[in-house]
Amino acid sequence: MLRRSLSRLCAGEEKRVGTRTVVVGHRPVSDTEAYVAQKFCDNRIVSSKYTLWNFLPKNLFEQFRRIANFYFLIIFLVQVIVDTPTSPVTSGLPLFFVITVTAIKQGYEDWLRHRADNEVNKSNVFVVENAKQVRKESEKIKVGDIVEVKADETFPCDLIFLASSSIDGTCYVTTASLDGESNFKTHYAVRDTTVLCTDEAIDTLTATIECEQPQPDLYKFVGRIIIYRSNQEPVARSLGPENLLLKGATLKNTKKIYGVAVYTGMETKMALNYQGKSQKRSAVEKSINAFLIVYLCILLGKATVCTTLKYVWQSNPFNDEPWYNEKTKKERETFKVLRMFTDFLSFMVLFNFIIPVSMYVTVEMQKFLGSFFISWDKEMYDEEMQEGALVNTSDLNEELGQVEYVFTDKTGTLTENSMEFIECCIDGHKYKDCISEVDGFSQTDGPLKYYGKAEKSREELFLRALCLCHTVQIKEADQVDGLMAHPERKCTYISSSPDEIALVKGAEKYQLLHVLNFDPVRRRMSVIVRTTTGKLLLFCKGADSSIFPRVQQEEIQQTKVHVDRNAMDGYRTLCVAFKELTQKEYDKIDRQLNEAKMALQDREEKMAKVFDDTEADMHLIGATAVEDRLQEQLAETIEALHAAGMKVWVLTGDKMETAKSTCYACRLFQTSTELLELTARTVGESERKEDRLHELLLEYHKKLIQDVPKNRGGLKRSWTLSQEYGLIIDGSTLSLILNPSQDSGSSNYKSIFLQICLKCTAVLCCRMAPLQKAQIVRMVKNTKGSPITLAIGDGANDVSMILEAHVGIGIKGKEGRQASRNSDYAVPKFKHLRKLLLAHGHLYYVRIAHLVQYFFYKNLCFILPQFLYQFFCGFSQQPLYDAAYLTMYNICFTSLPILAYSLLEQHISIDTLTSDPQLYMKVSDNAMLQWRPFLYWTFLGAFEGLVFFFGVYFLFQNSSLEDNGKVFGNWTFGTIVFTVLVFTVTLKLALDTRFWTWMNHFVIWGSLAFYVFFSFFWGGVIWPFLKQQRMYFVFAHMLTSVSTWLAIILLIFISLFPEILLIVLKNIKEKNHQAGPFDLPVLVSYKRIENGYVKTEDAVTNLAERYPLRIP
């Protein structure tokens, strides 16, 4: 009862309580007791969103949650129910088109997810039943089944490791798909079941497993197995993460293993880790919603004005009920308020096309099709990796052009994650290899250069420590038919750490007694071994910060000098220590370790305490230095990001000295940069560290903010001060800032710290835990102005910040693909970030911003004449355009040109965008979707709408437009207005196009030709399904008038004249001020760059004047 209550109260996987009991092989423990199988979920993985049965209702529900779709549904229903001036088809057909296209796109994406799920769920696995292997589909595995997995196969569910083909009961796995680590990890079978390595033997096992309920932490598992033997007492053995084989991991270097399923399907750790990924939305969507509200208000205003004026007009009895149109009895008796409401709805329907419903589907198509250009980019293809860029989310393309903060990992992202042994020191004496090889102590490498020399016994001890204190295994090449072409054996090193492969060369015959595994908290690992002479030794290696406090203090100084120098050179360092144990000490340690391993409660804490006690009073032997090379073009890329107005923060788990050296090498910190430190070294370890932290924060705040004069003129991105500052902070100090103690009275730590960070040109956060990386990103993301953040990393420890940032970029590195799978975009190298942001991001933003503004503009041009027409038809709700034109305006006549523009336009060449990062700032802060450019487009649409209507109106002052005296009617009037409208908005787009391709020519001139052809065809045939043939021969008859031809050409020119004039004046201004051979087209919505800052309130200026380029 208590457990049920807790389960209800504690929602979320991390708060699961209780344990589960698993019967191995479904064999009951006792013949006398009835076996009741527990119910667990099946082994199906479901990542899809829809099924065949719920796709239609669920997809429709989600689509109609979008405000524009819901609005058009209401309009459609009003047209069906109420007697409105236009047919329901006019709004129903565009809505149906939008809903159908979106449903097809989402259905296709979900079908891909179904296909991926089926590949996993329908894959074949082998389950041991009645001492035989039975082939089953993966989805049919049940908790308690004994599963056999062979080399290079993926584990189908979470298994407790029982036995393997290895005599010692070990196996090696890679968990790249889970935590990003591509290195080999060693797992251990239960001690008492290692001998059960055949189908017949494993089928004799009678046991139960008690373990915790499923939870998402990949590195935690607590349980125990109770093995029952006939005529013997049951044996209990502890189970930990080393006994658990996770779904998604792959078996390596081991022929086969047997395991029992404990977690299946959506309860596996892999599935629990993939749940709850939030949907990211771009800033453009928010701008669209804001503009929609404005146009909705315009629509309501138009409908209200027309409804009011209609009843003012009808207050005159003659206007209300003329002699030729008397009201029926029903019309006279209708309640006036109801009539007014019906009229209001009718006007809403008449003007509803001002809301561009087809814009949503065009935006979706633009994002989906546009994302292929990133994948197809040959410059972002890596020959060595044989892979290019990958787009996981096409919804954020335009966000790539708005990034203000870049958060990057160091190892594997800024560096190659390819380790080379550089040097070592033993008792303060330096040993450096002549040739830089990963196998540092190879006799074939030539002699070692040494500066002074340690005692031979200490050298041997140091080498033994490196040879023994590791998890490296040797994988031998398979022999074919017992013979090999070469007698020498080919071996491959495999390890859980890339550093270890760079250090290990050989090993002696030692008996391994215990391994005290590495973990991020201890930052060290140890082994206890017995030599051939029976001596017991503990060897330990780890970070200097974790080793130095545990060795004799007088031994530290001589090694610390080398460690600090190596760190300043950017090398990764490890310290090596040892300790000799007596038999009595070892027995005590062995007993404590076994007791801690058997604990079901607080096992990790108990193990950590034993490790802590064991790794004390050691003797320091020396240290190693391993180099992790910087990625190519790293410094140039970071300089380009800085020049583009972006701030780069490095978030790493590495030590401060190494990270700082890397930051200097990649030019994140310049030699002139003044560094501000908030680390354990500056804050101190005393009880007053919070007070000291407060003092430092106030001091830095005064230096960066209070003593600096405020900028004037509304400058944006003005973080570059006359003196550049860089901030360095470590994980422990960040914890103090983000989580101050209750009695410290320091609740404002966070705000002061944030203000300091925002004023620094670069920030280095070292010794960061993965959760802290996400906290930093969230803190900046939630600051005033909501700056767009980008996080880039290559390992599983970067996934949290990648998911937290607005845009997540994964590097396809050596630490697996977890980061690239959870990212929005994946690139092979950090250098590709330059083109991705400066070229693709810039262009995507300009294209989609122009698309959004253009859609609102052309719909205002479309509906304003309809509104003005009501003043000349007694507000009778008479449509100006034919129903076919109303329906096809947004679907056929004007849709393809803007789609082609939004996919292909390059107002500035890609080479120019990449070579001049300053251009990126011209579209920063959502510049082209601010209110100023929106009002410009709105006034332009209003001006052109007035020209269309009143130009044709004045033409019709002489209603006889032909020599024979025939009079044109209202449908001719509307058709002339519509013809001028279609040609004007299409030619406006042609004027805006600066990068012409055959496709642009085809869709622009083809759309105009299609409109002319359709108008002839629509009016040239008597359609049997139409009640009224009001457009019959109207278009053809209209074009027989010379006055009509002249009016159409003249009105198109007058409408476009302000735009043409603006372009001419800008070109003249540019030529007068041009400073070099660099002709740069300028967009109306661009922002001005002045003195390195972006000034939002100024008009457009020529960028070449400020930043001349020399292009041969």
Side-chain angles (χ1 to χ4, degrees):
M1 193 67 189
L2 176 62
R3 186 179 299 174
R4 279 199 209 101
S5 303
L6 285 171
S7 298
R8 284 197 301 269
L9 290 170
C10 302
E13 300 298 338
E14 70 283 355
K15 294 184 180 178
R16 287 175 180 265
V17 294
T19 60
R20 63 168 54 186
T21 301
V22 178
V23 178
V24 178
H26 308 289
R27 279 181 293 280
V29 173
S30 172
D31 296 331
T32 58
E33 296 178 13
Y35 168 60
V36 179
Q38 286 184 271
K39 289 190 176 181
F40 301 106
C41 73
D42 58 26
N43 199 39
R44 280 183 304 146
I45 289 292
V46 181
S47 63
S48 55
K49 196 173 182 180
Y50 308 106
T51 65
L52 190 63
W53 309 110
N54 72 9
F55 174 74
L56 200 59
K58 194 172 181 179
N59 185 264
L60 288 177
F61 173 74
E62 289 180 351
Q63 289 208 57
F64 284 119
R65 288 170 63 186
R66 183 173 276 174
I67 187 168
N69 290 349
F70 184 71
Y71 162 78
F72 265 84
L73 177 65
I74 297 298
I75 292 294
F76 173 71
L77 294 176
V78 168
Q79 285 180 293
V80 171
I81 298 167
V82 180
D83 184 18
T84 55
T86 55
S87 166
V89 176
T90 57
S91 59
L93 192 61
L95 178 65
F96 177 76
F97 175 73
V98 169
I99 295 296
T100 304
V101 170
T102 307
I104 290 171
K105 174 180 175 284
Q106 293 178 350
Y108 172 71
E109 289 174 348
D110 202 63
W111 175 76
L112 293 178
R113 287 191 285 267
H114 270 285
R115 192 173 67 173
D117 289 345
N118 283 331
E119 283 180 10
V120 175
N121 294 332
K122 300 295 181 184
S123 60
N124 290 323
V125 295
F126 290 97
V127 176
V128 178
E129 292 181 359
N130 299 321
K132 294 180 181 178
Q133 287 187 15
V134 178
R135 186 193 296 267
K136 283 188 177 182
E137 291 179 345
S138 175
E139 65 182 3
K140 294 181 179 176
I141 293 177
K142 297 177 182 176
V143 172
D145 283 351
I146 296 176
V147 181
E148 179 183 314
V149 181
K150 295 179 181 176
D152 297 319
E153 290 182 354
T154 301
F155 300 119
C157 56
D158 290 352
L159 304 169
I160 292 296
F161 184 18
L162 297 176
S164 78
S165 55
S166 303
I167 300 172
D168 57 355
T170 60
C171 73
Y172 307 103
V173 304
T174 58
T175 55
S177 62
L178 294 168
D179 59 6
E181 301 292 339
S182 58
N183 303 301
F184 286 59
K185 294 180 174 62
T186 308
H187 285 257
Y188 303 93
V190 178
R191 192 191 327 174
D192 300 75
T193 61
T194 53
V195 295
L196 307 176
C197 49
T198 63
D199 296 342
E200 295 78 11
I202 200 74
D203 197 54
T204 62
L205 177 64
T206 303
T208 59
I209 294 172
E210 292 180 9
C211 59
E212 61 189 358
Q213 291 288 3
Q215 53 101 354
D217 194 324
L218 297 175
Y219 309 106
K220 287 184 180 178
F221 177 75
V222 176
R224 67 179 165 210
I225 182 169
I226 303 170
I227 302 167
Y228 297 89
R229 296 176 178 139
S230 57
N231 303 322
Q232 292 184 25
E233 286 292 319
V235 177
R237 298 293 182 207
S238 65
L239 300 174
E242 68 279 2
N243 307 117
L244 185 67
L245 304 172
L246 299 176
K247 178 182 176 66
T250 306
L251 182 65
K252 293 288 184 183
N253 206 31
T254 310
K255 289 183 180 178
K256 68 174 181 178
I257 65 100
Y258 293 100
V260 58
V262 286
Y263 305 129
T264 51
M266 300 308 289
E267 290 186 338
T268 58
K269 289 182 181 285
M270 184 184 79
L272 294 175
N273 271 277
Y274 285 162
Q275 291 174 2
K277 185 177 176 182
S278 61
Q279 185 70 29
K280 297 179 180 179
R281 291 180 62 214
S282 72
V284 169
E285 281 191 53
K286 297 169 187 173
S287 297
I288 291 174
N289 290 338
F291 297 161
L292 268 178
I293 291 170
V294 172
Y295 270 69
L296 193 59
C297 292
I298 294 174
L299 172 62
L300 292 170
K302 283 183 176 182
T304 305
V305 167
C306 286
T307 305
T308 305
L309 292 179
K310 175 177 182 176
Y311 283 91
V312 171
W313 164 266
Q314 290 180 351
S315 61
N316 184 335
F318 176 76
N319 293 335
D320 184 33
E321 194 174 354
W323 59 270
Y324 56 82
N325 190 18
E326 292 184 359
K327 291 182 179 179
T328 62
K329 183 179 179 183
K330 184 180 178 182
E331 287 175 332
R332 288 195 183 98
E333 292 175 354
T334 305
F335 191 45
K336 191 171 184 179
V337 174
L338 182 61
R339 273 192 293 134
M340 290 179 71
F341 179 68
T342 307
D343 284 331
F344 177 78
L345 291 178
S346 298
F347 280 118
M348 288 278 288
V349 167
L350 192 63
F351 303 141
N352 79 82
F353 287 94
I354 197 171
I355 306 292
V357 66
S358 58
M359 178 180 67
Y360 280 104
V361 74
T362 309
V363 165
E364 292 224 8
M365 289 171 68
Q366 189 266 353
K367 289 182 176 183
F368 177 70
L369 296 174
S371 63
F372 287 105
F373 290 113
I374 295 177
S375 304
W376 293 337
D377 194 329
K378 292 181 179 178
E379 291 183 18
M380 296 171 72
Y381 182 83
D382 187 71
E383 292 291 344
E384 180 186 348
M385 202 177 292
Q386 295 290 303
E387 286 188 78
L390 177 69
V391 179
N392 294 325
T393 307
S394 61
D395 293 338
L396 301 171
N397 294 343
E398 63 276 9
E399 292 289 83
L400 295 171
Q402 296 295 298
V403 174
E404 293 182 47
Y405 287 87
V406 175
F407 298 93
T408 173
D409 178 40
K410 185 183 79 72
T411 306
T413 304
L414 302 181
T415 62
E416 293 280 3
N417 201 12
S418 177
M419 308 301 170
E420 288 190 11
F421 176 81
I422 300 298
E423 65 178 58
C424 66
C425 79
I426 305 171
D427 285 344
H429 300 284
K430 184 167 83 169
Y431 294 74
K432 191 175 178 72
D433 198 354
C434 291
I435 302 172
S436 183
E437 297 285 343
V438 292
D439 303 330
F441 293 97
S442 172
Q443 293 180 357
T444 60
D445 289 339
L448 289 169
K449 286 183 181 177
Y450 54 86
Y451 305 83
K453 194 174 182 183
E455 295 177 11
K456 187 175 182 180
S457 60
R458 299 288 286 182
E459 290 179 348
E460 290 179 356
L461 191 64
F462 179 80
L463 293 176
R464 282 198 187 98
L466 291 184
C467 290
L468 296 168
C469 190
H470 61 80
T471 56
V472 177
Q473 301 289 334
I474 298 174
K475 179 182 179 181
E476 297 181 6
D478 294 333
Q479 296 187 16
V480 181
D481 297 330
L483 296 172
M484 293 185 68
H486 302 284
E488 66 271 13
R489 292 187 301 174
K490 296 182 179 180
C491 301
T492 306
Y493 289 133
I494 56 177
S495 170
S496 61
S497 168
D499 299 51
E500 293 180 341
I501 298 177
L503 299 174
V504 173
K505 178 62 183 177
E508 291 184 51
K509 185 73 176 176
Y510 280 80
Q511 182 186 359
L512 180 64
L513 301 175
H514 283 289
V515 177
L516 282 59
N517 285 319
F518 174 88
D519 67 63
V521 178
R522 290 169 54 242
R523 297 182 63 80
R524 60 186 180 277
M525 77 158 288
S526 300
V527 292
I528 301 175
V529 295
R530 192 191 302 275
T531 67
T532 51
T533 59
K535 189 184 292 185
L536 292 161
L537 294 173
L538 177 140
F539 290 110
C540 180
K541 73 174 183 189
D544 57 316
S545 58
S546 66
I547 297 290
F548 285 167
R550 302 181 169 276
V551 298
Q552 308 300 320
Q553 294 304 300
E554 62 273 10
E555 300 171 347
I556 294 175
Q557 191 55 41
Q558 55 187 1
T559 303
K560 189 174 186 299
V561 175
H562 291 275
V563 170
D564 290 344
R565 181 180 52 77
N566 288 333
M568 288 298 292
D569 291 338
Y571 300 141
R572 294 169 65 122
T573 58
L574 281 176
C575 293
V576 182
F578 87 106
K579 172 181 173 180
E580 192 169 339
L581 301 173
T582 64
Q583 186 65 43
K584 185 178 179 182
E585 287 173 329
Y586 170 72
D587 292 340
K588 180 182 176 184
I589 292 168
D590 182 57
R591 187 181 69 257
Q592 289 175 336
L593 282 173
N594 288 330
E595 287 175 359
K597 286 178 181 178
M598 285 300 294
L600 272 181
Q601 300 294 327
D602 303 324
R603 180 187 296 179
E604 291 177 0
E605 290 79 359
K606 291 174 182 176
M607 292 279 286
K609 186 177 186 311
V610 177
F611 290 172
D612 200 51
D613 294 340
T614 305
E615 297 164 331
D617 301 322
M618 297 184 292
H619 296 278
L620 188 62
I621 316 173
T624 63
V626 175
E627 182 184 22
D628 189 3
R629 290 194 305 271
L630 293 179
Q631 288 203 10
E632 57 179 326
Q633 298 180 30
L634 174 65
E636 294 85 348
T637 304
I638 287 182
E639 283 189 333
L641 297 181
H642 267 299
M646 284 173 261
K647 297 173 71 173
V648 181
W649 292 28
V650 176
L651 313 180
T652 177
D654 218 333
K655 63 186 300 181
M656 187 187 78
E657 290 79 8
T658 308
K660 186 160 74 171
S661 174
T662 303
C663 289
Y664 274 113
C666 68
R667 300 178 204 163
L668 186 67
F669 291 157
Q670 306 291 339
T671 51
S672 59
T673 304
E674 183 179 338
L675 296 182
L676 312 175
E677 274 191 37
L678 289 172
T679 62
R681 186 171 64 187
T682 56
V683 174
E685 297 293 337
S686 65
E687 295 178 359
R688 287 191 64 255
K689 59 184 177 183
E690 291 198 353
D691 296 333
R692 176 61 182 152
L693 173 62
H694 197 117
E695 291 171 10
L696 283 172
L697 286 172
L698 292 177
E699 178 188 332
Y700 296 158
H701 186 269
K702 186 174 185 296
K703 182 183 289 188
L704 269 71
I705 294 149
Q706 295 176 5
D707 293 349
V708 176
K710 291 185 178 179
N711 290 310
R712 294 182 181 178
L715 298 180
K716 303 289 285 182
R717 294 197 182 189
S718 54
W719 43 266
T720 307
L721 308 172
S722 55
Q723 166 65 51
E724 289 191 355
Y725 290 96
L727 179 70
I728 301 177
I729 184 169
D730 60 13
S732 58
T733 312
L734 183 67
S735 296
L736 284 177
I737 291 171
L738 298 181
N739 309 300
S741 60
Q742 297 295 322
D743 56 348
S744 66
S746 310
S747 56
N748 62 339
Y749 277 177
K750 189 174 175 180
S751 61
I752 297 174
F753 169 69
L754 191 56
Q755 290 176 51
I756 294 169
C757 288
L758 299 182
K759 287 294 180 182
C760 290
T761 52
V763 177
L764 167 61
C765 303
C766 47
R767 303 292 198 196
M768 289 281 116
L771 185 60
Q772 287 181 314
K773 291 183 178 184
Q775 286 178 319
I776 287 278
V777 176
R778 190 182 308 119
M779 181 181 70
V780 174
K781 190 171 81 168
N782 295 333
T783 56
K784 186 179 179 183
S786 301
I788 304 299
T789 58
L790 178 147
I792 179 168
D794 70 318
N797 59 336
D798 304 314
V799 169
S800 56
M801 74 170 180
I802 285 172
L803 293 177
E804 184 63 44
H806 291 96
V807 182
I809 310 285
I811 298 281
K812 298 178 177 180
K814 297 182 179 180
E815 290 192 22
R817 296 302 166 89
Q818 184 79 336
S820 60
R821 255 195 305 273
N822 281 276
S823 63
D824 304 305
Y825 303 88
V827 292
K829 296 284 175 62
F830 188 86
K831 67 177 181 179
H832 297 130
L833 194 62
R834 178 173 185 164
K835 187 174 184 183
L836 184 67
L837 299 184
L838 303 187
H840 288 292
H842 185 115
L843 290 176
Y844 279 131
Y845 175 76
V846 169
R847 291 165 181 167
I848 201 165
H850 200 283
L851 182 153
V852 170
Q853 299 280 29
Y854 179 78
F855 254 97
F856 283 109
Y857 148 80
K858 73 184 181 73
N859 278 33
L860 183 59
C861 292
F862 180 41
I863 289 303
L864 186 59
Q866 177 74 75
F867 171 69
L868 296 172
Y869 186 59
Q870 298 307 303
F871 288 83
F872 296 87
C873 68
F875 305 99
S876 60
Q877 299 151 13
Q878 169 66 31
L880 176 63
Y881 312 116
D882 181 64
Y885 288 157
L886 284 170
T887 305
M888 298 185 69
Y889 175 71
N890 278 317
I891 295 179
C892 300
F893 300 147
T894 60
S895 59
L896 285 179
I898 185 58
L899 180 61
Y901 176 95
S902 65
L903 288 172
L904 303 171
E905 174 63 5
Q906 292 180 29
H907 61 293
I908 303 173
S909 71
I910 288 179
D911 290 339
T912 305
L913 286 171
T914 309
S915 60
D916 188 0
Q918 299 278 2
L919 290 166
Y920 190 84
M921 283 197 286
K922 296 198 78 177
V923 295
S924 63
D925 303 313
N926 204 15
M928 295 179 67
L929 289 174
Q930 297 292 344
W931 290 109
R932 183 173 177 176
F934 173 71
L935 291 174
Y936 167 80
W937 282 92
T938 302
F939 283 124
L940 186 65
F943 166 75
E944 292 181 5
L946 289 169
V947 171
F948 300 158
F949 182 81
F950 286 108
V952 179
Y953 175 75
F954 287 124
L955 173 70
F956 268 68
Q957 292 300 303
N958 177 14
S959 58
S960 177
L961 297 177
E962 294 184 272
D963 296 336
N964 57 13
K966 285 185 179 179
V967 178
F968 281 177
N970 66 312
W971 294 114
T972 306
F973 181 89
T975 304
I976 295 174
V977 172
F978 192 80
T979 303
V980 176
L981 163 71
V982 171
F983 273 79
T984 301
V985 298
T986 306
L987 292 175
K988 163 75 171 80
L989 194 63
L991 280 176
D992 289 341
T993 302
R994 295 187 174 93
F995 184 76
W996 285 90
T997 65
W998 67 266
M999 196 174 292
N1000 293 94
H1001 283 289
F1002 177 76
V1003 296
I1004 286 178
W1005 314 123
S1007 293
L1008 295 176
F1010 174 74
Y1011 164 69
V1012 174
F1013 170 78
F1014 175 82
S1015 297
F1016 274 116
F1017 185 66
W1018 180 245
V1021 177
I1022 297 177
W1023 300 99
F1025 56 83
L1026 292 179
K1027 294 179 182 177
Q1028 303 149 335
Q1029 299 288 330
R1030 55 194 181 195
M1031 291 299 292
Y1032 182 68
F1033 223 65
V1034 167
F1035 190 78
H1037 187 214
M1038 176 188 84
L1039 295 182
T1040 59
S1041 168
V1042 177
S1043 302
T1044 303
W1045 279 91
L1046 181 63
I1048 290 172
I1049 294 169
L1050 187 63
L1051 290 176
I1052 291 171
F1053 176 76
I1054 293 171
S1055 300
L1056 295 176
F1057 181 73
E1059 194 79 7
I1060 296 170
L1061 185 65
L1062 196 63
I1063 293 171
V1064 170
L1065 289 175
K1066 281 180 184 173
N1067 286 336
I1068 293 171
K1069 186 179 177 183
E1070 286 174 13
K1071 287 178 182 177
N1072 290 339
H1073 295 280
Q1074 195 161 354
F1078 177 51
D1079 184 22
L1080 178 68
V1082 181
L1083 294 181
V1084 172
S1085 330
Y1086 257 8
K1087 293 188 297 185
R1088 181 178 175 187
I1089 295 183
E1090 193 174 88
N1091 301 324
Y1093 304 127
V1094 179
K1095 196 165 184 179
T1096 53
E1097 69 275 10
D1098 288 343
V1100 182
T1101 190
N1102 180 19
L1103 185 72
E1105 177 186 350
R1106 292 293 308 162
Y1107 307 104
L1109 289 180
R1110 296 290 183 267
I1111 298 179

